Amino acid sequence: MTDLANRDYSRSRAVLMGTWDYRDFDNVPAVERSFNRMWELLQDPVCGSWPRDSIKLLCNRPTLGTTHVELIETFLQATDIALFYYVGHGIYDHRERLCLAVGDTRTDPNFTAATGLSFEAVRDAFRASRAAVKIAVLDCCYAGLATEEYGRLSATRLPPVSGAYVLMSSSAFEASWYEREEVVNAQTYFTKALVQTVHDGIPGGPAGLTFDHIFGVVADQLVEDGRPEPGRRIEDHAADWVFARNNAPDAPPEPGADPDTAFHEAYRLETKEGIERLPVIAAMYRAAAEAGHAPSMNRLGQIAEGRVQARMQGVEPGPVDRAALLEATQWYSKASDAGDQVGPLHLGQLYEEQYKDAHQAVYWYDLAARRGNGAAQERLTGLRQRIRLGIDTSREPEDVRSEEEPEPTRRAPVAAPTLSGLAAEALRQRWLADWDGSAPLATAHCLDVLIDTCGGPHGEWATLDDTERERVLADFLAVLPPKANLARAARDYYEARGPGSLRNHAAGLFRAAE
């Protein structure tokens, strides 16, 4: 159904939940703004104007209280659409299950499930509902855990026409981001992109937009801006349910059209069409850029660098010649001069990776970070650490073996088990019990914490090649760092090996293994 103006929502229910004031977490005013924007969106004609009595608001609850009961009661009234939206802090409990935080939710894993709304409770409410379509939109850290294991929203007996759709701002064990308060009307990045996409529409899209249409644009935009990549899970026909009217014009924009409209149409062509359309795409970006549109300037810089062509062809970008590099620098500089936060990020990358000028890279990363770009802040932190430690800022790891050292040709014979070896394995199994016996989960957690301790993904860790990283991680795992004090164990390990000496340590591990 695309006639949203005449849609009847009397048999549908939406539950909007948001928490922005906490006891154990940082307060996040951006969450309140995103919550209000989502509420306003449902009442906007673009979505068919949900009536107020079809929307249940769970605003900034100080404690869990009767939230679970109210969810079930609300969704029992739905026979058409059941929609749940949450924005706020997400946390996982001692069994790696997603919990949605309220005001007094505790970070202590022993109390997390008792003080937060588990997604299992939301799933229970959906299962109780006879709604034909069930939608969950989660804007929180670790949102991807909602679809782990038994992550299904449908009832045991499906109605004749049924479907479920889960839209998540981040993957399991990945944080979601929000704008800093220095940004005017700061919001969470995911909800901001979702609401803005619905308001703007999708040029060239159908008259009615499904969550699948919206997800594609939102995901591309967030990844392009260096934000966490969102996820989705679809069951049955839920992807076909029309959520909003397409506000964008169906036809491509005419010359002299609104720059923002021209940009969105060019970006749609970039993501959907072949390389042969690139000249047309570049011309559309150029027209918008000449009208002062900063995102179009950034796209022209990406085209000059060869990144757009490479992505359209599904290959890695090749070397950049000097003329192309200068053109990209000029476009990014124009975007930065216009106050854009992405332009200086790209300039920082050029100065770090192409011009090999670490101090200029720091300047541009710092400018982008001060304008609220989280990806630039990560790169800035890592680069400053490498400069402080005197590590080669080119981040091009060298082979730790000299040319005289031969490659190993055979493995040593496997020795028979010893008492000490059996004892070590028993200790390892006891250590794994903290992660429910899951070695992959323990390894993933330890790796994340170790990377952060070593300066983040762009710090000293970035100077290691894959083999060196594997050696260092295996060495760290061998000390059996306790889950309860994982961050301290990683810091002690790093300090003991010596900041700035990870590659030498990896080389020593290789020699010891031989």
mmCIF file with all atom_site columns, all heavy atoms in Angstrom, residues 128-142:
data_model
loop_
_atom_site.group_PDB
_atom_site.id
_atom_site.type_symbol
_atom_site.label_atom_id
_atom_site.label_alt_id
_atom_site.label_comp_id
_atom_site.label_asym_id
_atom_site.label_entity_id
_atom_site.label_seq_id
_atom_site.pdbx_PDB_ins_code
_atom_site.Cartn_x
_atom_site.Cartn_y
_atom_site.Cartn_z
_atom_site.occupancy
_atom_site.B_iso_or_equiv
_atom_site.pdbx_formal_charge
_atom_site.auth_seq_id
_atom_site.auth_comp_id
_atom_site.auth_asym_id
_atom_site.auth_atom_id
_atom_site.pdbx_PDB_model_num
ATOM 1   N N   . ALA A 1 128 ? 3.786  -12.359 21.252 1.00 0.00 ? 128 ALA A N   1
ATOM 2   C CA  . ALA A 1 128 ? 2.404  -12.333 21.729 1.00 0.00 ? 128 ALA A CA  1
ATOM 3   C C   . ALA A 1 128 ? 1.473  -11.628 20.739 1.00 0.00 ? 128 ALA A C   1
ATOM 4   O O   . ALA A 1 128 ? 0.259  -11.859 20.751 1.00 0.00 ? 128 ALA A O   1
ATOM 5   C CB  . ALA A 1 128 ? 2.341  -11.632 23.088 1.00 0.00 ? 128 ALA A CB  1
ATOM 6   N N   . SER A 1 129 ? 2.016  -10.787 19.889 1.00 0.00 ? 129 SER A N   1
ATOM 7   C CA  . SER A 1 129 ? 1.205  -9.973  18.986 1.00 0.00 ? 129 SER A CA  1
ATOM 8   C C   . SER A 1 129 ? 0.735  -10.765 17.771 1.00 0.00 ? 129 SER A C   1
ATOM 9   O O   . SER A 1 129 ? 1.449  -11.623 17.258 1.00 0.00 ? 129 SER A O   1
ATOM 10  C CB  . SER A 1 129 ? 2.024  -8.761  18.529 1.00 0.00 ? 129 SER A CB  1
ATOM 11  O OG  . SER A 1 129 ? 1.308  -8.021  17.559 1.00 0.00 ? 129 SER A OG  1
ATOM 12  N N   . ARG A 1 130 ? -0.466 -10.413 17.297 1.00 0.00 ? 130 ARG A N   1
ATOM 13  C CA  . ARG A 1 130 ? -0.998 -11.001 16.065 1.00 0.00 ? 130 ARG A CA  1
ATOM 14  C C   . ARG A 1 130 ? -0.739 -10.104 14.858 1.00 0.00 ? 130 ARG A C   1
ATOM 15  O O   . ARG A 1 130 ? -1.316 -10.306 13.786 1.00 0.00 ? 130 ARG A O   1
ATOM 16  C CB  . ARG A 1 130 ? -2.503 -11.239 16.216 1.00 0.00 ? 130 ARG A CB  1
ATOM 17  C CG  . ARG A 1 130 ? -2.860 -12.309 17.248 1.00 0.00 ? 130 ARG A CG  1
ATOM 18  C CD  . ARG A 1 130 ? -4.355 -12.498 17.388 1.00 0.00 ? 130 ARG A CD  1
ATOM 19  N NE  . ARG A 1 130 ? -5.012 -11.304 17.932 1.00 0.00 ? 130 ARG A NE  1
ATOM 20  C CZ  . ARG A 1 130 ? -5.927 -10.600 17.290 1.00 0.00 ? 130 ARG A CZ  1
ATOM 21  N NH1 . ARG A 1 130 ? -6.304 -10.930 16.069 1.00 0.00 ? 130 ARG A NH1 1
ATOM 22  N NH2 . ARG A 1 130 ? -6.486 -9.549  17.860 1.00 0.00 ? 130 ARG A NH2 1
ATOM 23  N N   . ALA A 1 131 ? 0.136  -9.104  15.017 1.00 0.00 ? 131 ALA A N   1
ATOM 24  C CA  . ALA A 1 131 ? 0.426  -8.173  13.922 1.00 0.00 ? 131 ALA A CA  1
ATOM 25  C C   . ALA A 1 131 ? 0.984  -8.911  12.717 1.00 0.00 ? 131 ALA A C   1
ATOM 26  O O   . ALA A 1 131 ? 1.755  -9.872  12.843 1.00 0.00 ? 131 ALA A O   1
ATOM 27  C CB  . ALA A 1 131 ? 1.424  -7.112  14.391 1.00 0.00 ? 131 ALA A CB  1
ATOM 28  N N   . ALA A 1 132 ? 0.581  -8.449  11.539 1.00 0.00 ? 132 ALA A N   1
ATOM 29  C CA  . ALA A 1 132 ? 1.050  -9.076  10.301 1.00 0.00 ? 132 ALA A CA  1
ATOM 30  C C   . ALA A 1 132 ? 2.511  -8.746  10.015 1.00 0.00 ? 132 ALA A C   1
ATOM 31  O O   . ALA A 1 132 ? 3.256  -9.560  9.485  1.00 0.00 ? 132 ALA A O   1
ATOM 32  C CB  . ALA A 1 132 ? 0.183  -8.633  9.126  1.00 0.00 ? 132 ALA A CB  1
ATOM 33  N N   . VAL A 1 133 ? 2.916  -7.525  10.369 1.00 0.00 ? 133 VAL A N   1
ATOM 34  C CA  . VAL A 1 133 ? 4.295  -7.087  10.131 1.00 0.00 ? 133 VAL A CA  1
ATOM 35  C C   . VAL A 1 133 ? 4.858  -6.545  11.440 1.00 0.00 ? 133 VAL A C   1
ATOM 36  O O   . VAL A 1 133 ? 4.218  -5.740  12.115 1.00 0.00 ? 133 VAL A O   1
ATOM 37  C CB  . VAL A 1 133 ? 4.368  -6.003  9.034  1.00 0.00 ? 133 VAL A CB  1
ATOM 38  C CG1 . VAL A 1 133 ? 5.796  -5.489  8.880  1.00 0.00 ? 133 VAL A CG1 1
ATOM 39  C CG2 . VAL A 1 133 ? 3.861  -6.545  7.709  1.00 0.00 ? 133 VAL A CG2 1
ATOM 40  N N   . LYS A 1 134 ? 6.067  -6.990  11.787 1.00 0.00 ? 134 LYS A N   1
ATOM 41  C CA  . LYS A 1 134 ? 6.704  -6.587  13.046 1.00 0.00 ? 134 LYS A CA  1
ATOM 42  C C   . LYS A 1 134 ? 8.055  -5.968  12.716 1.00 0.00 ? 134 LYS A C   1
ATOM 43  O O   . LYS A 1 134 ? 8.893  -6.593  12.065 1.00 0.00 ? 134 LYS A O   1
ATOM 44  C CB  . LYS A 1 134 ? 6.873  -7.795  13.960 1.00 0.00 ? 134 LYS A CB  1
ATOM 45  C CG  . LYS A 1 134 ? 5.534  -8.472  14.269 1.00 0.00 ? 134 LYS A CG  1
ATOM 46  C CD  . LYS A 1 134 ? 5.701  -9.865  14.828 1.00 0.00 ? 134 LYS A CD  1
ATOM 47  C CE  . LYS A 1 134 ? 4.328  -10.517 15.032 1.00 0.00 ? 134 LYS A CE  1
ATOM 48  N NZ  . LYS A 1 134 ? 4.446  -11.888 15.579 1.00 0.00 ? 134 LYS A NZ  1
ATOM 49  N N   . ILE A 1 135 ? 8.246  -4.740  13.190 1.00 0.00 ? 135 ILE A N   1
ATOM 50  C CA  . ILE A 1 135 ? 9.447  -3.976  12.869 1.00 0.00 ? 135 ILE A CA  1
ATOM 51  C C   . ILE A 1 135 ? 10.149 -3.589  14.162 1.00 0.00 ? 135 ILE A C   1
ATOM 52  O O   . ILE A 1 135 ? 9.515  -3.068  15.087 1.00 0.00 ? 135 ILE A O   1
ATOM 53  C CB  . ILE A 1 135 ? 9.110  -2.687  12.090 1.00 0.00 ? 135 ILE A CB  1
ATOM 54  C CG1 . ILE A 1 135 ? 8.205  -2.984  10.887 1.00 0.00 ? 135 ILE A CG1 1
ATOM 55  C CG2 . ILE A 1 135 ? 10.392 -1.961  11.677 1.00 0.00 ? 135 ILE A CG2 1
ATOM 56  C CD1 . ILE A 1 135 ? 8.870  -3.713  9.758  1.00 0.00 ? 135 ILE A CD1 1
ATOM 57  N N   . ALA A 1 136 ? 11.464 -3.814  14.245 1.00 0.00 ? 136 ALA A N   1
ATOM 58  C CA  . ALA A 1 136 ? 12.270 -3.343  15.375 1.00 0.00 ? 136 ALA A CA  1
ATOM 59  C C   . ALA A 1 136 ? 13.401 -2.484  14.826 1.00 0.00 ? 136 ALA A C   1
ATOM 60  O O   . ALA A 1 136 ? 14.138 -2.913  13.942 1.00 0.00 ? 136 ALA A O   1
ATOM 61  C CB  . ALA A 1 136 ? 12.834 -4.516  16.174 1.00 0.00 ? 136 ALA A CB  1
ATOM 62  N N   . VAL A 1 137 ? 13.518 -1.263  15.334 1.00 0.00 ? 137 VAL A N   1
ATOM 63  C CA  . VAL A 1 137 ? 14.584 -0.336  14.942 1.00 0.00 ? 137 VAL A CA  1
ATOM 64  C C   . VAL A 1 137 ? 15.386 -0.023  16.198 1.00 0.00 ? 137 VAL A C   1
ATOM 65  O O   . VAL A 1 137 ? 14.866 0.575   17.134 1.00 0.00 ? 137 VAL A O   1
ATOM 66  C CB  . VAL A 1 137 ? 14.014 0.956   14.325 1.00 0.00 ? 137 VAL A CB  1
ATOM 67  C CG1 . VAL A 1 137 ? 15.147 1.891   13.907 1.00 0.00 ? 137 VAL A CG1 1
ATOM 68  C CG2 . VAL A 1 137 ? 13.124 0.636   13.125 1.00 0.00 ? 137 VAL A CG2 1
ATOM 69  N N   . LEU A 1 138 ? 16.658 -0.428  16.207 1.00 0.00 ? 138 LEU A N   1
ATOM 70  C CA  . LEU A 1 138 ? 17.496 -0.303  17.404 1.00 0.00 ? 138 LEU A CA  1
ATOM 71  C C   . LEU A 1 138 ? 18.667 0.621   17.125 1.00 0.00 ? 138 LEU A C   1
ATOM 72  O O   . LEU A 1 138 ? 19.514 0.329   16.273 1.00 0.00 ? 138 LEU A O   1
ATOM 73  C CB  . LEU A 1 138 ? 18.015 -1.679  17.824 1.00 0.00 ? 138 LEU A CB  1
ATOM 74  C CG  . LEU A 1 138 ? 16.944 -2.742  18.097 1.00 0.00 ? 138 LEU A CG  1
ATOM 75  C CD1 . LEU A 1 138 ? 17.599 -4.081  18.398 1.00 0.00 ? 138 LEU A CD1 1
ATOM 76  C CD2 . LEU A 1 138 ? 16.043 -2.324  19.249 1.00 0.00 ? 138 LEU A CD2 1
ATOM 77  N N   . ASP A 1 139 ? 18.722 1.722   17.847 1.00 0.00 ? 139 ASP A N   1
ATOM 78  C CA  . ASP A 1 139 ? 19.817 2.683   17.715 1.00 0.00 ? 139 ASP A CA  1
ATOM 79  C C   . ASP A 1 139 ? 20.584 2.694   19.040 1.00 0.00 ? 139 ASP A C   1
ATOM 80  O O   . ASP A 1 139 ? 20.358 3.534   19.904 1.00 0.00 ? 139 ASP A O   1
ATOM 81  C CB  . ASP A 1 139 ? 19.260 4.075   17.395 1.00 0.00 ? 139 ASP A CB  1
ATOM 82  C CG  . ASP A 1 139 ? 20.362 5.075   17.049 1.00 0.00 ? 139 ASP A CG  1
ATOM 83  O OD1 . ASP A 1 139 ? 21.540 4.693   17.104 1.00 0.00 ? 139 ASP A OD1 1
ATOM 84  O OD2 . ASP A 1 139 ? 20.029 6.231   16.734 1.00 0.00 ? 139 ASP A OD2 1
ATOM 85  N N   . CYS A 1 140 ? 21.493 1.730   19.196 1.00 0.00 ? 140 CYS A N   1
ATOM 86  C CA  . CYS A 1 140 ? 22.232 1.581   20.448 1.00 0.00 ? 140 CYS A CA  1
ATOM 87  C C   . CYS A 1 140 ? 23.485 0.756   20.191 1.00 0.00 ? 140 CYS A C   1
ATOM 88  O O   . CYS A 1 140 ? 23.605 0.101   19.156 1.00 0.00 ? 140 CYS A O   1
ATOM 89  C CB  . CYS A 1 140 ? 21.372 0.898   21.517 1.00 0.00 ? 140 CYS A CB  1
ATOM 90  S SG  . CYS A 1 140 ? 20.829 -0.777  21.074 1.00 0.00 ? 140 CYS A SG  1
ATOM 91  N N   . CYS A 1 141 ? 24.398 0.784   21.123 1.00 0.00 ? 141 CYS A N   1
ATOM 92  C CA  . CYS A 1 141 ? 25.584 -0.057  21.019 1.00 0.00 ? 141 CYS A CA  1
ATOM 93  C C   . CYS A 1 141 ? 25.181 -1.538  21.046 1.00 0.00 ? 141 CYS A C   1
ATOM 94  O O   . CYS A 1 141 ? 24.198 -1.909  21.688 1.00 0.00 ? 141 CYS A O   1
ATOM 95  C CB  . CYS A 1 141 ? 26.542 0.213   22.176 1.00 0.00 ? 141 CYS A CB  1
ATOM 96  S SG  . CYS A 1 141 ? 27.219 1.890   22.193 1.00 0.00 ? 141 CYS A SG  1
ATOM 97  N N   . TYR A 1 142 ? 25.942 -2.356  20.320 1.00 0.00 ? 142 TYR A N   1
ATOM 98  C CA  . TYR A 1 142 ? 25.762 -3.820  20.291 1.00 0.00 ? 142 TYR A CA  1
ATOM 99  C C   . TYR A 1 142 ? 24.385 -4.232  19.744 1.00 0.00 ? 142 TYR A C   1
ATOM 100 O O   . TYR A 1 142 ? 23.885 -5.312  20.054 1.00 0.00 ? 142 TYR A O   1
ATOM 101 C CB  . TYR A 1 142 ? 25.972 -4.428  21.683 1.00 0.00 ? 142 TYR A CB  1
ATOM 102 C CG  . TYR A 1 142 ? 27.147 -3.842  22.424 1.00 0.00 ? 142 TYR A CG  1
ATOM 103 C CD1 . TYR A 1 142 ? 26.999 -3.262  23.680 1.00 0.00 ? 142 TYR A CD1 1
ATOM 104 C CD2 . TYR A 1 142 ? 28.419 -3.830  21.849 1.00 0.00 ? 142 TYR A CD2 1
ATOM 105 C CE1 . TYR A 1 142 ? 28.079 -2.700  24.354 1.00 0.00 ? 142 TYR A CE1 1
ATOM 106 C CE2 . TYR A 1 142 ? 29.503 -3.269  22.521 1.00 0.00 ? 142 TYR A CE2 1
ATOM 107 C CZ  . TYR A 1 142 ? 29.328 -2.701  23.765 1.00 0.00 ? 142 TYR A CZ  1
ATOM 108 O OH  . TYR A 1 142 ? 30.394 -2.157  24.416 1.00 0.00 ? 142 TYR A OH  1
#
